[in-house]
């Protein structure tokens, strides 16, 4: 954590540290928001008087539970799962489920905290929550994934609902997992409650363009940042980290808008393909065969695979971190700036460390934080809930148009708020303040909650 906090905010942060020991990612996410809220308290002293920030930093409810399951050899495994229902001032808790061995309460709380402000930015009626498990889906059969999902839902079902808490996907949770989770929810409750989960398959209440939404939205946001500087994505060289859901559709939209993506990665290594990443190959490897990205070179002999390579050392005009938290540090940021990068938009949540953010901001490049840049995913989840509520199903083009409008509005709100608070071009400040004020006003109107 780099910047100093306002004197009113420092004690609040110290209290967060004391009450949540060892949860370093949560501390980082809270610090990043508090760094920008000083000017809001000057304009709105009532938020300080009524301790709105202290209340927002404390989740409304945290659920931790055991998930026992059996593998294909009959061996028993015990995982731990979480659902943090952070803030419901604007609507039912909304946020994905993450399956990754690194998951613990601190990761879920950082993601849930970010989600409050992100969801507020979308302008749609959704509160903030997040969940997940330390289950590692890598190398597991479909049957094992199904048994795990069914066991998890056997506890989770009692805490969620279309008016209460609506989970979706995140790292390690895609269409397959949502299908198993929804099937078990339906079975236990004996209700076809479509709006209880989003990211569903099209044949059972899913929304067109939801799969693509986070990646597409990140690229729409990038395009808006460049437009604000009189530029565009046309002809730009782009580097995208990861090769999962967000990365794949960021690559697809970047190509559609005339850019050339030359590198992507997974947690084992990076692929550099100077003539442009062939997305059909990536989709085949990752979405169908579920293999490592290194397999890409079997199909493209002119591409290079670097085991444990650093994707940020590949020179580019635009960088889109779409893998995981803290994947881009101060050294990486300095390398990107030195190599002439002009824009960074975060498809992942909190992928840039505080040192990295500071370097981007002092270099004056266009930097779009995840809260704003990757809000397209949850926005389209909210559109899925709308379709479920009205028993309707919209076309791909109509849904994508709505997504694009939402991203344009988020960009405009962040941009204008940054100007209003005397920090033009600072999308971090713009996103945090816009999101915070919406939630704070709603909480204030509802009395002491
Ligand atoms: P996926 O599981 O589909 O893909 C994740 C990708 O990131 C994989 O390529 C994975 O590689 C890589 N990755 C994961 N962990 C690490 C790590 N520790 N080090 C290096 N690479 C890693 O997840 P998503 O694409 O859904 O999510 C990616 C990011 O986007 C996350 O930060 C998520 O929170 C965020 N996000 C996702 C949304 C969504 O709608 N899905 C919405 C908003 C944000 P490997 O396969 O080797 O693990």
């Amino acid at each position: 954590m780099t910047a100093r906090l306002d004197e009113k905010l420092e004690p609040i942060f110290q209290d967060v540290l004391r009450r949540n020991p060892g949860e370093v990612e949560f501390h980082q996410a809270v610090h990043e928001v508090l760094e920008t809220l000083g000017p809001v308290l000057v304009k709105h002293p009532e938020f300080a008087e009524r301790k709105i920030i202290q209340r927002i930093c404390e989740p409304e409810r945290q659920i931790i539970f055991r998930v026992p399951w059996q593998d294909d050899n009959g061996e028993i495994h015990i995982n731990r799962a979480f659902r943090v229902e952070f803030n419901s001032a604007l609507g039912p808790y909304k946020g994905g489920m993450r399956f990754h061995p690194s998951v613990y309460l601190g990761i879920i709380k950082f993601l849930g905290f970010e989600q409050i402000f992100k969801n507020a930015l979308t302008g749609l009626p959704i509160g903030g929550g997040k969940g997940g498990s330390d289950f590692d889906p890598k190398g597991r059969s479909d049957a094992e994934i199904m048994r795990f999902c069914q066991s998890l839902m056997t506890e989770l079902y009692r805490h969620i609902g279309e008016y209460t808490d609506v989970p979706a996907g995140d790292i390690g949770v895609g269409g397959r997992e949502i299908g198993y989770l929804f099937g078990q929810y339906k079975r236990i409750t004996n209700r076809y409650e479509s709006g209880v989960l989003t990211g569903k398959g099209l044949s059972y209440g899913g929304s067109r363009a939801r799969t693509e939404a986070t990646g597409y939205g990140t690229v729409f946001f990038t395009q808006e940042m460049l437009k604000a500087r009189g530029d565009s994505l046309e002809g730009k060289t782009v580097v995208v980290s990861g090769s999962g859901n967000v990365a794949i559709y960021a690559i697809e939209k970047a190509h559609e808008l005339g850019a050339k993506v030359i590198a992507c990665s997974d947690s084992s290594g990076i692929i550099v393909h100077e003539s442009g990443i062939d997305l059909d190959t990536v989709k085949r490897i990752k979405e169908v065969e579920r293999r490592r990205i290194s397999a890409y070179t079997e199909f493209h002999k002119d591409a290079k695979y670097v085991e444990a390579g650093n994707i940020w050392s590949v020179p580019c005009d635009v960088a889109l971190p779409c893998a995981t938290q803290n994947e881009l540090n101060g050294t990486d940021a300095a390398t990107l700036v030195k190599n002439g990068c002009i824009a960074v938009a975060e498809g992942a949540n909190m992928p840039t460390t505080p040192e990295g953010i500071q370097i981007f901001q002092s270099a004056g490049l266009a930097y779009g934080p995840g809260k704003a840049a990757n809000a397209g995913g949850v926005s389209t989840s909210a559109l899925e809930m709308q379709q479920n509520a009205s028993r309707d199903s919209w076309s791909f083009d109509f849904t994508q148009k709505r997504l694009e409008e939402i991203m344009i509005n988020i960009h405009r709100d962040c941009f204008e708020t940054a100007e209003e608070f005397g920090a033009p071009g600072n999308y971090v400040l713009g996103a945090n303040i816009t999101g915070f004020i919406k939630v704070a006003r709603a909480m204030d109107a509802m009395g002491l909650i």
Side-chain angles (χ1 to χ4, degrees), residues 10-269:
E10 183 61 32
I12 298 178
F13 183 64
Q14 289 305 322
D15 210 35
V16 168
L17 290 180
R18 188 181 57 75
R19 292 165 66 87
N20 305 278
E23 297 175 0
V24 289
E25 296 83 2
F26 179 51
H27 303 161
Q28 184 182 334
V30 171
H31 198 277
E32 192 222 272
V33 170
L34 297 193
E35 271 172 30
T36 55
L37 294 187
V40 181
L41 297 187
V42 176
K43 243 187 173 163
H44 296 279
E46 71 278 14
F47 294 156
E49 275 158 34
R50 293 176 208 155
K51 298 199 175 176
I52 298 274
I53 298 177
Q54 291 91 322
R55 283 191 262 154
I56 286 185
C57 289
E58 184 68 21
E60 288 175 13
R61 190 176 300 111
Q62 306 181 57
I63 301 145
I64 305 180
F65 55 100
R66 177 175 71 202
V67 185
W69 59 281
Q70 238 170 343
D71 68 21
D72 289 344
N73 300 319
E75 194 181 326
I76 290 172
H77 299 262
I78 294 110
N79 283 98
R80 184 175 291 171
F82 306 86
R83 188 74 192 163
V84 173
E85 299 181 334
F86 228 116
N87 194 297
S88 60
L90 298 183
Y93 311 105
K94 183 87 198 83
M97 294 290 288
R98 174 177 292 192
F99 293 171
H100 193 272
S102 62
V103 164
Y104 76 108
L105 188 58
I107 295 262
I108 300 301
K109 276 163 75 176
F110 118 64
L111 290 163
F113 185 74
E114 293 253 311
Q115 199 82 47
I116 303 170
F117 306 99
K118 181 191 306 190
N119 293 4
L121 278 175
T122 67
L124 297 162
I126 40 180
K130 198 83 187 186
S133 171
D134 57 5
F135 171 70
D136 186 357
K138 274 203 195 84
R140 291 292 172 196
S141 69
D142 279 356
E144 289 173 325
I145 300 281
M146 182 186 75
R147 286 196 292 276
F148 177 79
C149 289
Q150 290 182 337
S151 180
L152 183 139
M153 186 52 85
T154 302
E155 171 62 31
L156 186 65
Y157 87 95
R158 67 188 89 242
H159 306 290
I160 61 176
E162 66 175 314
Y163 298 111
T164 316
D165 183 358
V166 182
D170 191 79
I171 290 178
V173 180
R176 174 181 59 170
E177 291 74 17
I178 294 294
Y180 295 146
L181 291 166
F182 184 70
Q184 185 73 349
Y185 182 85
K186 185 175 79 59
R187 198 171 166 209
I188 297 174
T189 59
N190 192 29
R191 265 204 312 272
Y192 207 104
E193 189 186 334
S194 302
V196 70
L197 287 165
T198 60
K200 299 182 293 295
L202 282 184
S203 59
Y204 61 97
S207 172
R208 292 188 177 82
R210 174 61 188 95
T211 306
E212 295 83 356
T214 309
Y216 278 20
T218 301
V219 175
F220 288 140
F221 193 88
T222 311
Q223 182 81 318
E224 289 306 299
M225 290 200 300
L226 291 172
K227 243 193 238 167
R229 295 169 170 231
D231 205 342
S232 83
L233 269 167
E234 180 75 39
K236 297 288 186 294
T237 301
V238 180
V239 159
V240 176
S241 66
S243 49
N245 172 263
V246 179
I248 285 175
Y249 294 96
I251 296 173
E252 186 160 287
K253 187 51 76 180
H255 281 166
E256 264 178 52
L257 295 181
K260 182 166 75 166
V261 180
I262 57 163
C264 65
S265 64
D266 64 15
S267 59
S268 308

Side-chain angles (χ1 to χ4, degrees), residues 273-291:
H273 197 177
E274 293 293 347
S275 59
I277 292 286
D278 174 24
L279 196 57
D280 287 340
T281 303
V282 178
K283 283 184 180 175
R284 173 177 169 174
I285 296 169
K286 288 294 175 182
E287 293 186 333
V288 183
E289 298 173 359
R290 298 183 189 272
R291 295 167 72 199

Side-chain angles (χ1 to χ4, degrees), residues 390-406:
S390 57
R391 305 207 184 282
D392 199 356
S393 176
W394 305 341
S395 72
F396 188 93
D397 288 347
F398 179 77
T399 317
Q400 181 178 216
K401 194 76 210 136
R402 297 263 334 243
L403 164 66
E404 188 177 5
E405 282 163 9
I406 291 168

